[in-house]
Amino acid sequence: MVMEKTDWSALGFDYRKTDVNARYTFTDGKWSEMEITEDEYIRMHMSASCLHYGIELFEGLKAFRGVDGKVRLFRVEDNARRLQSSAERLCLPVPTIDMIVDACIEVVKRNERHIPPYGTGASLYLRPVMFGTTVGLGVKPAKDALLIVYCSPVGAYFKSGIKPMPVAIDREQDRAAPRGTGDVKVGGNYAASLLSGEKGHSLGYSNIMYLDAAEHKYIEECGACNFFGIKEGKYITPKSPSVLPSITNKSLRQLARDMGLEVEDRRIPVEELPTFEECGGCGTAAVITPIGKIFDMQTNAVYEYGSEVGKVSMELYTRLQDIQYGRAEDIHGWCTIVM
Ligand code: PLP
Ligand code: COI
């Protein structure tokens, strides 16, 4: 069978078909029971609200096969809560935490043969996705919705893995406006980031660093990652209403405290960049990806952090993955053991 030939260590971050996905539909003011299906497709009306007005949101989380053979879902309830806040922001029906968590657990269990073995560096990525399906033409909230949870085995998001990546600052397009939707995980934010992302890629940069849209003075996010900088025994990360509250970043802040670092959650002006000893991007897909170089596309300034992973970033990465793969005690209660 195809699965027996999988070279798990060579997986990138891409969709691969698995066995089943879980779905809930919202119609007539109520949610259906969970449905498990092998179908990868959905049949939808051409005038469904998600297609025209971007009434769509998603989540991303991972399940890991641990050193002890157990399968752990990382911080699934935090993802469920963030999904709820995205649904509220888009005036979509809000599923319960239990519905989301149950679907994630069910999808992991029923796709067990697709969970990458321990030691391959790969994991099972879960993608809850939800959208409005009401047929209409006017701009108004959807009364009907579909929530799907599916999964795909994945390897590293950035081809460079834990090797430092080059990123570029762009002020020509913003990702998210103050009081816009930057703090929730909705598809429109990603659509808005594509043009600058492509510009960065064409110049050889892995990712775009966005600045705050109001003043273009402060660091916001780094593509689909939060940003962090390390200096003088501190873990520093941007505080902004238009940054996605990353669950990885929240975990790293805790791990940084555990390591005796001070944690600062505050605005970070671009001028502070040369003072960082290490910096990186963090997220479910990217885990920690150190930043080796930052190029400012408008001022031509270059900030260099070296071609090796910094000591603090490496320790944070190791501590995080040790918990995810069951090599260290889960003292903060972040993992749900699925089986
Ligand atoms: N920022 C953006 C824009 C993202 O898409 C993601 C990925 O989910 C993150 C940050 C990291 O968030 P998390 O750690 O919850 O995956
Ligand atoms: C994640 O880290 O889960 C993300 O959402 C990144 C994704 C947009 C590819």
Side-chain angles (χ1 to χ4, degrees), residues 82 175 185 190 221 223-226 244 246-248 282-284:
R82 195 171 62 189
R175 174 190 164 271
K185 204 163 166 67
Y190 299 81
E221 294 214 66
C225 300
N226 273 186
L244 188 77
S246 155
I247 294 156
T248 312
C282 63
T284 297

Side-chain angles (χ1 to χ4, degrees), residues 13 58 60 125 127 157 185 190 224 283-286:
F13 190 83
F58 68 99
Y125 185 76
R127 173 54 65 87
Y157 183 62
K185 204 163 166 67
Y190 299 81
T284 297

Side-chain angles (χ1 to χ4, degrees), residues 112-130:
E112 184 178 1
R113 70 190 186 100
H114 298 279
I115 305 171
Y118 176 74
T120 57
S123 56
L124 189 72
Y125 185 76
L126 274 79
R127 173 54 65 87
V129 59
M130 181 174 155

Side-chain angles (χ1 to χ4, degrees), residues 125-293:
Y125 185 76
L126 274 79
R127 173 54 65 87
V129 59
M130 181 174 155
F131 40 87
T133 52
T134 304
V135 176
L137 270 187
V139 180
K140 56 183 176 222
K143 292 197 303 297
D144 313 275
L146 184 56
L147 165 61
I148 304 180
V149 179
Y150 69 86
C151 65
S152 184
V154 297
Y157 183 62
F158 293 112
K159 288 186 199 79
S160 59
I162 182 80
K163 285 216 294 294
M165 61 174 172
V167 305
I169 295 176
D170 190 14
R171 293 175 185 77
E172 284 180 356
Q173 274 100 30
D174 296 314
R175 174 190 164 271
R179 292 183 287 275
T181 55
D183 62 337
V184 287
K185 204 163 166 67
V186 303
N189 296 339
Y190 299 81
S193 74
L194 291 176
L195 191 57
S196 51
E198 286 305 287
K199 190 163 67 178
H201 286 154
S202 71
L203 296 172
Y205 293 91
S206 310
N207 229 333
I208 292 295
M209 180 175 276
Y210 296 96
L211 304 183
D212 75 287
E215 297 183 84
H216 292 137
K217 268 183 153 169
Y218 302 101
I219 295 163
E220 291 255 300
E221 294 214 66
C222 210
C225 300
N226 273 186
F227 172 85
F228 68 88
I230 307 286
K231 68 172 176 187
E232 297 152 4
K234 292 182 195 149
Y235 177 97
I236 306 169
T237 190
K239 186 183 178 80
S240 157
S242 41
V243 162
L244 188 77
S246 155
I247 294 156
T248 312
N249 194 355
K250 190 167 146 187
S251 313
L252 294 177
R253 290 196 296 254
Q254 181 60 55
L255 295 174
R257 278 187 212 101
D258 295 350
M259 284 160 58
L261 297 176
E262 213 178 295
V263 172
E264 288 183 4
D265 204 357
R266 58 162 169 86
R267 299 213 284 187
I268 305 179
V270 181
E271 295 77 61
E272 196 173 340
L273 281 177
T275 68
F276 288 122
E277 294 149 18
E278 300 175 28
C279 53
C282 63
T284 297
V287 193
I288 282 184
T289 304
I291 295 173
K293 172 183 169 183

